[in-house]
Amino acid sequence: MQSIFLKEVQMALQGNPIGYIAKVEQQHWQQLMKIVTSMKAHQNTCPILLLSGPSGSGKTITAMMIESILDRMGLETHTLSMDNYFKSMTAEEQQLAEMGKFDLESPERVDIPFLNAQLKDIRDGKPVSLPKYDFRIAKRVPSGQILQRKPQELVILEGIHALNPSVITLSNQEAARCYVNVQTAVRTDSGMLVPPSYIRLLRRMIRDWKYRKRSLTDTIRMHHSVQVGEDTFITPYQHLANYTVNTFLPYEIFAYKEIFSQTPEAMKIAQQIPELAAILQETIPFSLDWIPKNALIREFIGGSVYYNQ
């Protein structure tokens, strides 16, 4: 696991914030370009990319970013979400979920036969009626969209179980695999080492608070169960990936501090966790306007070119 001293980032931002952020963004896009180059080289034989990562890793926007690069290169690419292949929930299951007694991270939530049948039809260029999962009613419904992959077109399937061989049955010759996650820990001036999972917690807290109408306290309360689900169902399969992407952007800590500082009550709640308090106490002038609209962390803070937030 990599680590970075927060003081180093602070000094870089104080010197030339826009230039430093541009450098960090360039390094991140370079990771994606390596994947794109490989996908282009194998577009005729391996047209599908399976992309997985834990909650808050940025897998959804990573898929969108890869698609945007491929599209600009003239390679038509379709991105699908595994969420749309969830099984509809019964009234009893919905009630259990509301009580926190239904495992929302389990691969059993996925309609595995249906998903694999559609992936094979897509691979073979057959027309497929794409589903859509309506989270408001916890039901899978028709989307009204038909996908028929043409020769040389590419497909990205993103979802937390995309690398699990018991969920996706496509062979390594039919699909490439990518794992994305925050892979850098943060070292504070006080000597505390804040692991990547707490960076992702910060991301989820802000996203859930701003766009999912979930309180910061609820997101914090769910942190342990989310972590257990990741350790059980997601991270054991990361070794199967052909590509890995570190989605940590060193400057993001100061962006989150800026957001929390605008609401003292939110800052107070976040600082109840020692790991978050240690990194949020770092002070430096920071403007969210410095962050490009196509940056990965825009998925969490808003203003992304990839989302209607």
Side-chain angles (χ1 to χ4, degrees):
M1 180 175 62
Q2 306 174 39
S3 65
I4 188 170
F5 284 95
L6 206 53
K7 179 61 70 176
E8 295 177 5
V9 181
Q10 193 173 29
M11 293 175 62
L13 285 170
Q14 289 174 325
N16 180 7
I18 296 178
Y20 176 70
I21 290 173
K23 179 181 178 181
V24 169
E25 287 296 318
Q26 182 182 30
Q27 291 171 342
H28 179 236
W29 282 94
Q30 285 174 346
Q31 293 184 80
L32 305 186
M33 281 302 303
K34 292 179 181 179
I35 299 172
V36 166
T37 301
S38 181
M39 291 179 68
K40 181 181 180 181
H42 300 92
Q43 65 186 99
N44 293 320
T45 57
C46 188
I48 298 175
L49 177 68
L50 304 173
L51 191 150
S52 176
S55 178
S57 62
K59 60 183 175 297
T60 301
I61 198 167
T62 297
M64 293 177 176
M65 295 168 82
I66 292 174
E67 178 184 355
S68 72
I69 300 173
L70 290 165
D71 285 344
R72 287 198 302 270
M73 296 172 65
L75 298 173
E76 184 66 26
T77 305
H78 310 275
T79 297
L80 308 178
S81 172
M82 185 179 287
D83 289 0
N84 290 324
Y85 291 88
F86 284 163
K87 300 173 185 175
S88 296
M89 295 175 67
T90 65
E92 181 181 0
E93 288 171 338
Q94 291 183 57
Q95 186 176 19
L96 289 172
E98 292 173 359
M99 298 168 58
K101 297 181 179 180
F102 187 81
D103 191 351
L104 298 175
E105 304 292 323
S106 172
E108 293 298 321
R109 289 200 68 203
V110 181
D111 190 338
I112 295 175
F114 176 59
L115 170 58
N116 282 285
Q118 288 221 326
L119 283 177
K120 290 177 180 178
D121 284 345
I122 291 170
R123 175 202 61 192
D124 296 337
K126 298 178 181 179
V128 167
S129 298
L130 296 176
K132 177 179 176 59
Y133 195 85
D134 190 334
F135 284 91
R136 296 171 301 174
I137 59 174
K139 303 290 183 184
R140 191 176 71 223
V141 299
S143 71
Q145 292 182 293
I146 303 295
L147 172 60
Q148 184 170 12
R149 189 184 73 84
K150 299 175 183 178
Q152 298 190 326
E153 289 187 349
L154 299 167
V155 174
I156 302 172
L157 174 72
E158 63 88 7
I160 59 176
H161 303 300
L163 299 187
N164 188 332
S166 66
V167 175
I168 304 294
T169 58
L170 293 176
S171 69
N172 291 335
Q173 288 69 44
E174 297 169 302
R177 289 159 169 81
C178 177
Y179 181 76
V180 305
N181 200 1
V182 175
Q183 299 172 12
T184 302
V186 174
R187 294 185 181 274
T188 68
D189 288 348
S190 63
M192 177 178 285
L193 183 67
V194 181
S197 61
Y198 285 94
I199 307 301
R200 292 190 290 106
L201 174 58
L202 269 176
R203 291 176 173 184
R204 294 201 310 272
M205 287 170 66
I206 291 175
R207 179 192 61 194
D208 293 354
W209 174 39
K210 293 187 67 173
Y211 303 109
R212 299 188 178 182
K213 309 302 180 185
R214 181 179 294 154
S215 72
L216 296 175
T217 302
D218 284 344
T219 303
I220 292 172
R221 188 177 65 246
M222 294 170 60
H223 177 62
H224 176 71
S225 61
V226 169
Q227 196 65 43
V228 170
E230 293 168 1
D231 294 342
T232 304
F233 300 121
I234 304 172
T235 54
Y237 305 106
Q238 61 181 302
H239 70 282
L240 298 175
N242 306 99
Y243 321 106
T244 59
V245 177
N246 182 0
T247 63
F248 177 69
L249 305 172
Y251 69 82
E252 67 181 279
I253 299 300
F254 297 95
Y256 305 147
K257 170 64 180 291
E258 175 64 20
I259 292 173
F260 280 123
S261 66
Q262 296 171 6
T263 308
E265 183 61 27
M267 177 66 81
K268 183 178 180 181
I269 293 173
Q271 290 182 322
Q272 292 176 359
I273 299 177
E275 289 83 356
L276 301 190
I279 54 179
L280 291 176
Q281 70 181 3
E282 302 293 335
T283 303
I284 183 176
F286 189 94
S287 172
L288 299 180
D289 293 335
W290 294 338
I291 304 174
K293 299 299 183 182
N294 62 351
L296 179 138
I297 68 165
R298 287 285 181 185
E299 174 183 352
F300 308 100
I301 68 174
S304 174
V305 297
Y306 303 106
Y307 287 89
N308 294 319
Q309 293 172 317

